[in-house]
Amino acid sequence: MKKIAELAQDLLLTDKRNIAIDFTCGQGFDTLFLGKHYEHVVAFDIQEDAIKQSQQRITEQGLFNVEFHQVSHDQFDEYVASFDAGIFNLGYLPHGDSSITTQGNIVITALEKGTKLLTSKGKIVVVCYPGFNQGLKESEEVEKWLSTLPSKEFDVVHISLVNRKSAPYILVIEKH
């Protein structure tokens, strides 16, 4: 079986592949994946370290279709008018400062804006990490908000490993 991160990436492949957003670029693995499959990618992170790691990964692969912004993902709409796919990898930067984590209320603000700017048949994938206190709280907040999305406009799917308590899981939002 594929790892959760690989499955999340597979879910990002939509019919339209013009613009994608990596809302939390972290180490750049999702950014790289998107860069190989979309015409243009916009990546966000608040940490300079994450931006540098991601830029290096993109440069090493010879990609020139990615732009980076060191700002919070809830400000993405200042840089993007619409998009076909997006991904959030919540939690903290691996091998970074684990006290710097994504926050449920900020993720929800980004999702509120994102669901409005997402193109028809577009997807947003959210990878949740409930294995630590902040991650569990955030996962619950995001899931609660997603459950309020109108079913006439969106489908929301929860993908998880049933036999692993506190394992990362995926939420997929698809716009009709």
Side-chain angles (χ1 to χ4, degrees):
M1 180 176 283
K2 288 186 175 189
K3 293 181 180 180
I4 288 289
E6 294 169 332
L7 181 56
Q9 289 176 346
D10 288 348
L11 293 166
L12 291 167
L13 298 176
T14 62
D15 292 339
K16 290 187 280 183
R17 296 194 189 167
N18 298 321
I19 298 175
I21 300 175
D22 188 346
F23 288 93
T24 52
C25 71
Q27 295 177 306
F29 295 109
D30 293 329
T31 310
L32 178 61
F33 178 85
L34 293 170
K36 289 180 177 180
H37 293 92
Y38 281 81
E39 288 179 31
H40 187 73
V41 178
V42 187
F44 298 90
D45 209 293
I46 60 169
Q47 296 184 73
E48 183 179 4
D49 240 13
I51 297 289
K52 286 181 179 178
Q53 286 181 49
S54 297
Q55 285 175 325
Q56 181 177 349
R57 193 170 305 284
I58 296 302
T59 302
E60 287 171 355
Q61 293 295 313
L63 296 176
F64 300 99
N65 60 335
V66 179
E67 68 179 85
F68 292 91
H69 298 281
Q70 189 180 340
V71 298
S72 177
H73 46 246
D74 65 337
Q75 297 174 25
F76 83 93
D77 58 328
E78 295 175 23
Y79 304 90
V80 177
S82 69
F83 64 102
D84 304 307
I87 187 165
F88 289 82
N89 244 309
L90 303 182
Y92 54 87
L93 178 65
H95 313 295
D97 183 346
S98 62
S99 70
I100 302 172
T101 67
T102 52
Q103 301 293 316
N105 61 325
I106 297 172
V107 172
I108 290 168
T109 298
L111 286 168
E112 286 173 340
K113 294 176 181 182
T115 52
K116 290 178 180 137
L117 299 180
L118 186 64
T119 59
S120 178
K121 304 295 182 200
K123 292 180 188 172
I124 300 173
V125 174
V126 182
V127 183
C128 298
Y129 294 87
F132 66 107
N133 287 339
Q134 173 57 29
L136 177 60
K137 179 182 174 204
E138 177 178 55
S139 300
E140 290 170 348
E141 291 171 355
V142 169
E143 235 181 291
K144 182 179 178 183
W145 183 82
L146 289 175
S147 72
T148 69
L149 285 176
S151 60
K152 289 183 179 183
E153 296 177 56
F154 300 95
D155 290 329
V156 180
V157 177
H158 179 136
I159 302 169
S160 63
L161 295 167
V162 181
N163 63 341
R164 291 191 191 166
K165 187 177 178 171
S166 301
Y169 64 91
I170 298 170
L171 300 167
V172 183
I173 306 153
E174 184 171 19
K175 192 169 191 174
H176 298 169

